[in-house]
Amino acid sequence: MELNPFSYEFHEDPHPIYRWLRDHVPLYRSEQLDFWALSRFRDVLPALVDWETYSSAEGVVLERLDPKMLEATPMLISLDPPRHDRLRKLVSRAFTPRRVASLEPFVRATAVRLLEPLVAQGGGDFVKDFSTPLPMEVIFTLLGVPDADRRQLREWTDLALDRDPDTPAIPARALEASLHQMRYLYELLGDLRRRPRDGLVCGLLEAELETDGGTTRLSDGEIVGFCSLLGAAGNETTTKLLANAAVLFARHPGEYRKVLADPARLPGAIEEILRHSSPAQYAARTVMRDVEWYGRTVPRGARILLLIGAANRDEREFRDPDRFDVDRQIPEPLGFGQGVHFCLGASLARLETRVALEEFVRCFPRYTVDDARCRRMHMSNVHGFASVPFVRE
Amino acid sequence: MRVIVDPVLCEGNGVCTQVAPEIFDLGDDDKARVLVEHPGEARRAEVETAVRRCPRRAIRLMRD
């Protein structure tokens, strides 16, 4: 067996490989793609927390990112402290659970509006018609992107993360799309500077941070980097989490009935979806000093994958880990990472997913998914569906 | 033991306030506040769970 995060077969079902890794090669080495990987829960968790040893500065995907681009538009996800902490402090206020809670009526109204035509038709494509437009409306409203531009911007975001089978080389179409996206965001920023309005981006333009050397503000590059990250992370992951939920519930009608009978179980069910089928399958890091794992030395400078998707199915940590159980207690959730890089949007993702599923459950108490026609997306570290056709029963 | 919340790391995820509501509370600035700075040994398990479950690793437990 081998682990190739770019293999389309692996995207279909990574779990046989994950099990093999946990049981037989808990420290995995790929000579071909030049990386290492950890897969057991009790190895992945401390490594995620130890940012000093496991650096994010070269990006958190296996493919090589352009260092010039990382520098021009720095993103939280690929910065180490102290630069990470400065930026995070400026943006985190907008994402506290309390601030996020105020978005609930807007999220619900959007979910209801998107579900109306699906109810009338008796089904549709869960991804195209519901789990893609919902986070898109939320994130682009936060960013102040005009309605007319949203679909195009979301297409660039999707395309920027699209990968060819088996190879870590970033395809030309993806590079081109990310340039379009960056150019658009610079233009949006210029527009918001000339005509300020309420919203997150204008808040970022004004945000000031007291430091030892005086007051600092975010540079244009930092704001564009943040908007680009929010556009990708806030769209891709929530879209996939929601669709994974729709597929899991269709495959486990007994678990769906529990949620139908008592929607208060949804927050717990969402934690289980994040464990069982988390959108984020790994976080890549660069090792900053020689580290020992299972009698081998991972040398300084090496790339290592912390396999969240594998850790979440570790039988050493979870009883009957492949079982989907909406009542499972999960003491240390990994789906949003842990430590300084803990997902800034976790509260928003949890809120969007809960509200979307509350409304979906109400509209579609019985439905089936056409498994044969489901299609997967092929990105590097995010797993999920491109299409999930469903019909009311 | 003494409980400390690092205000720089804390982002108000509120996990500690659910695990140990008598020890932690969310302040007006959306950061966790320690209500009982020196909880007795009887509360150790609860506090240690909060330390372990804080996604930002913002809670520290010190010796008196």
Side-chain angles (χ1 to χ4, degrees):
Chain A
M1 283 212 197
E2 60 158 16
L3 169 65
N4 180 342
F6 303 98
S7 147
Y8 282 18
E9 259 170 54
F10 173 70
H11 298 159
E12 283 300 329
D13 183 11
H15 296 291
I17 290 173
Y18 285 159
R19 187 175 307 114
W20 171 73
L21 290 172
R22 286 190 307 263
D23 287 347
H24 302 288
V25 233
L27 174 70
Y28 176 78
R29 165 76 182 148
S30 167
E31 292 294 339
Q32 188 206 343
L33 293 174
D34 191 18
F35 72 87
W36 302 75
L38 291 170
S39 49
R40 291 185 181 169
F41 187 95
R42 289 291 152 199
D43 298 341
V44 170
L45 175 59
L48 280 172
V49 173
D50 181 4
W51 57 266
E52 284 170 296
T53 307
Y54 299 94
S55 162
S56 298
E58 291 182 295
V60 300
V61 289
L62 183 56
E63 48 270 44
R64 289 271 164 201
L65 302 178
D66 180 359
K68 272 181 291 184
M69 192 120 147
L70 284 175
E71 194 51 44
T73 50
M75 296 184 192
L76 276 176
I77 201 169
S78 48
L79 287 175
D80 290 332
R83 287 185 72 195
H84 167 275
D85 296 356
R86 171 183 168 271
L87 197 55
R88 180 127 182 167
K89 214 166 158 185
L90 283 171
V91 297
S92 65
R93 292 246 171 94
F95 291 92
T96 65
R98 210 181 307 203
R99 287 288 287 280
V100 163
S102 67
L103 296 170
E104 180 161 342
F106 167 66
V107 174
R108 192 174 301 280
T110 308
V112 168
R113 174 170 59 80
L114 292 168
L115 283 167
E116 261 168 28
L118 296 174
V119 171
Q121 293 157 211
D125 187 330
F126 190 90
V127 177
K128 190 169 122 302
D129 302 327
F130 190 51
S131 72
T132 299
L134 182 73
M136 181 178 95
E137 292 301 320
V138 174
I139 290 294
F140 290 162
T141 300
L142 280 177
L143 288 179
V145 176
D147 282 344
D149 302 341
R150 291 182 179 186
R151 189 174 291 263
Q152 175 65 76
L153 189 56
R154 175 66 202 252
E155 272 169 27
W156 285 329
T157 306
D158 280 343
L159 203 52
L161 299 171
D162 196 23
R163 295 292 177 267
D164 287 330
D166 304 322
T167 169
I170 302 177
R173 62 181 185 282
L175 289 172
E176 200 180 315
S178 64
L179 284 177
H180 278 302
Q181 184 206 25
M182 290 296 180
R183 196 175 306 136
Y184 178 86
L185 290 171
Y186 270 107
E187 278 169 23
L188 178 71
L189 190 59
D191 192 49
L192 289 172
R193 270 198 200 286
R194 283 187 299 276
R195 280 187 297 265
R197 41 189 191 256
D198 283 347
L200 182 68
V201 179
C202 292
L204 292 179
L205 287 170
E206 285 159 20
E208 288 184 342
L209 191 68
E210 299 295 331
T211 58
D212 298 341
T215 321
T216 62
R217 285 188 177 219
L218 292 172
S219 68
D220 279 9
E222 283 172 325
I223 297 178
V224 166
F226 179 71
C227 294
S228 162
L229 176 61
L230 197 61
N235 272 313
E236 297 302 337
T237 49
T238 312
T239 292
K240 288 170 182 60
L241 178 59
L242 273 169
N244 288 351
V247 171
L248 275 174
F249 281 137
R251 288 180 187 165
H252 300 88
E255 296 304 295
Y256 192 53
R257 276 195 294 276
K258 289 182 193 169
V259 168
L260 271 175
D262 179 14
R265 275 166 149 160
L266 262 177
I270 291 166
E271 298 305 310
E272 172 67 347
I273 297 157
L274 276 162
R275 182 198 70 84
H276 186 279
S277 304
S278 61
Q281 289 286 306
Y282 73 79
R285 298 287 190 260
T286 305
V287 176
M288 300 305 280
R289 58 176 174 84
D290 289 4
V291 282
E292 286 282 321
W293 283 104
Y294 299 99
R296 289 184 79 177
T297 302
V298 180
R300 179 167 172 262
R303 300 284 286 160
I304 189 164
L305 304 189
L306 309 177
L307 296 168
I308 291 168
N312 270 330
R313 297 279 192 107
D314 189 350
E315 38 290 280
R316 292 153 198 81
E317 188 66 21
F318 302 101
R319 183 202 291 249
D320 202 358
D322 293 332
R323 200 170 134 243
F324 175 58
D325 171 5
V326 296
D327 294 322
R328 189 190 290 273
Q329 294 298 310
I330 303 165
E332 290 167 283
L334 272 193
F336 292 116
Q338 285 281 332
V340 296
H341 287 289
F342 177 71
C343 175
L344 182 67
S347 301
L348 181 58
R350 284 181 169 127
L351 172 90
E352 284 179 81
T353 312
R354 174 177 58 79
V355 170
L357 291 176
E358 280 169 0
E359 294 304 321
F360 181 79
V361 163
R362 214 172 42 76
C363 295
F364 293 94
R366 291 172 67 89
Y367 70 99
T368 52
V369 161
D370 185 348
D371 269 325
R373 282 171 54 226
C374 285
R375 275 189 304 107
R376 287 201 164 264
M377 286 253 179
H378 297 292
M379 298 176 175
S380 164
N381 65 335
V382 195
H383 283 195
F385 292 93
S387 178
V388 174
F390 76 103
V391 286
R392 184 171 40 218
E393 265 212 332
Chain B
M1 63 178 162
R2 183 173 168 220
V3 185
I4 298 172
V5 169
D6 183 329
V8 176
L9 287 174
C10 178
E11 288 178 350
N13 287 290
V15 176
C16 57
T17 62
Q18 287 164 27
V19 173
E22 284 160 37
I23 315 273
F24 303 97
D25 180 29
L26 270 188
D28 292 336
D29 57 354
D30 271 358
K31 290 184 187 292
R33 281 189 311 180
V34 180
L35 297 173
V36 187
E37 204 181 322
H38 299 275
E41 278 302 312
R43 315 303 288 273
R44 179 174 286 277
E46 217 180 316
V47 175
E48 281 179 350
T49 304
V51 170
R52 205 172 59 238
R53 290 188 52 184
C54 172
R56 294 271 300 161
R57 311 281 146 161
I59 309 171
R60 248 168 290 161
L61 204 52
M62 324 265 288
R63 243 178 273 156
D64 272 315

